[in-house]
């Protein structure tokens, strides 16, 4: 989305400061979006220092990541029953950012709710689909507020005990008559050093249209992450 206004070649190095398992959840892959382990970490995205944390318990988790200045952050919540009787997981998030445009800089908030389902397919491939709604609120420019329908799919494919791929595709389209749509794709190749540590090389493509503003970005990243 064009509100994430960055340039250059981003390199993300995330290293764990502290983490611990806090529930009896079935062991999940380190790249599984329904993983409920607790972590604390920090890293770089381009020339921006970021810190992140996730607290998980029982069948829920809360995540927060922010740049060091604190003016761009994302807070999210996941309820995952982890029950064979229910394959539905509830997600909610708030995202704050700042955008430079031709007519000035604007603060904006995005509020999103969704429902995630999981399907385990052929050769250990896991598919996660999410459907929801996203509300955009632009401070001091309320005429640009809009609501979109959101759909996304995440595919996690382990090739061995070490190597895996993750593909994320997401699309947003306005449902209130405004001119807003977004496409987001993220492809990563990961290597698990152990069950707790892994590294990934990532490629991300974003394209968005909002009112009369169009933006298109491609980004490369390198990440290290851990869980316990």
């Amino acid at each position: 989305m064009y509100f994430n206004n960055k340039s250059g070649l981003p390199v993300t190095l995330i290293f764990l400061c502290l983490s611990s398992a806090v529930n009896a959840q079935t062991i999940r892959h380190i790249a599984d979006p329904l993983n409920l382990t607790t972590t604390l970490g920090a890293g770089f995205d381009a020339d921006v220092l970021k810190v992140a944390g996730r607290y998980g318990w029982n069948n829920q988790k809360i995540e927060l990541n922010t740049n060091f200045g604190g003016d761009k952050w994302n807070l999210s919540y996941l309820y995952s029953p982890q029950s064979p009787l229910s394959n539905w997981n509830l997600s909610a998030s708030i995202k704050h950012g700042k955008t430079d445009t031709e007519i000035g800089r604007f603060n904006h908030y995005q509020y999103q709710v969704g429902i995630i389902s999981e399907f385990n397919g052929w050769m250990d491939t896991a598919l996660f689909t999410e459907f929801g709604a996203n509300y955009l609120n632009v401070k001091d420019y309320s005429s640009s507020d809009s609501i979109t329908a959101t759909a996304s799919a995440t595919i996690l494919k382990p090739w061995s005990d070490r190597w895996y791929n993750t593909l994320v595709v997401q699309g947003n389209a306005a449902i209130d008559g405004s001119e807003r749509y977004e496409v987001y794709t993220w492809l990563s190749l990961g290597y698990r050093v152990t069950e707790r540590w892994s590294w990934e090389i990532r490629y991300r493509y974003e394209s968005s249209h909002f009112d009369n503003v169009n933006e298109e970005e491609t980004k490369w990243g390198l990440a290290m992450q851990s869980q316990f």
Side-chain angles (χ1 to χ4, degrees):
M1 162 174 197
Y2 83 88
F3 289 111
N4 189 13
N5 191 17
K6 300 176 183 174
S7 61
L9 182 67
V11 177
T12 304
L13 293 173
I14 301 175
F15 50 90
L16 183 78
C17 299
L18 173 67
S19 66
S20 61
V22 295
N23 53 57
Q25 179 189 30
T26 302
I27 296 175
R28 286 184 173 269
H29 195 283
I30 194 170
D32 192 317
L34 299 183
N35 196 320
L36 300 180
T37 54
T38 296
T39 63
L40 292 174
F44 289 93
D45 188 351
D47 58 349
V48 178
L49 176 63
K50 289 187 173 183
V51 293
R54 180 173 75 205
Y55 177 70
W57 72 99
N58 295 327
N59 49 15
Q60 304 172 73
K61 68 178 178 180
I62 295 176
E63 297 184 65
L64 173 66
N65 66 76
T66 177
N67 63 2
F68 194 71
D71 60 347
K72 293 185 178 181
W73 50 265
N74 183 67
L75 177 66
S76 62
Y77 168 80
L78 174 72
Y79 174 76
S80 180
Q82 304 296 317
S83 168
L85 301 178
S86 176
N87 188 37
W88 298 102
N89 309 272
L90 175 66
S91 67
S93 66
I94 303 173
K95 180 180 180 181
H96 172 259
K98 293 184 177 180
T99 304
D100 292 313
T101 70
E102 294 179 353
I103 57 175
R105 172 176 254 206
F106 297 98
N107 290 307
H108 64 87
Y109 294 85
Q110 291 189 62
Y111 305 89
Q112 182 166 311
V113 293
I115 297 177
I116 304 172
S117 66
E118 176 183 9
F119 174 75
N120 294 311
W122 182 58
M123 296 182 63
D124 298 322
T125 300
L127 171 64
F128 306 87
T129 56
E130 179 174 5
F131 298 95
N134 180 292
Y135 173 66
L136 171 67
N137 173 245
V138 183
K139 187 177 180 181
D140 299 325
Y141 194 41
S142 60
S143 61
S144 291
D145 293 358
S146 68
I147 301 175
T148 65
T150 300
S152 68
T154 300
I155 300 174
L156 171 60
K157 171 56 183 172
W159 297 101
S160 67
D161 291 339
R162 303 289 187 182
W163 294 96
Y164 63 91
N165 279 119
T166 304
L167 173 65
V168 180
V169 179
Q170 177 176 314
N172 298 344
I175 57 176
D176 60 356
S178 60
E179 294 186 28
R180 177 186 170 204
Y181 61 82
E182 302 150 357
V183 177
Y184 167 90
T185 302
W186 172 21
L187 176 64
S188 68
L189 172 65
Y191 179 79
R192 291 198 299 176
V193 181
T194 68
E195 287 187 357
R196 298 181 178 182
W197 292 88
S198 76
W199 62 261
E200 294 183 8
I201 184 170
R202 301 169 175 175
Y203 170 80
R204 182 167 61 181
Y205 170 79
E206 298 179 31
S207 177
S208 63
H209 173 83
F210 185 75
D211 287 343
N212 296 319
V213 178
N214 292 281
E215 184 174 78
E216 188 175 48
E217 284 189 307
T218 58
K219 301 178 181 180
W220 287 93
L222 177 66
M224 295 183 66
Q225 57 182 335
S226 178
Q227 67 173 3
F228 287 86

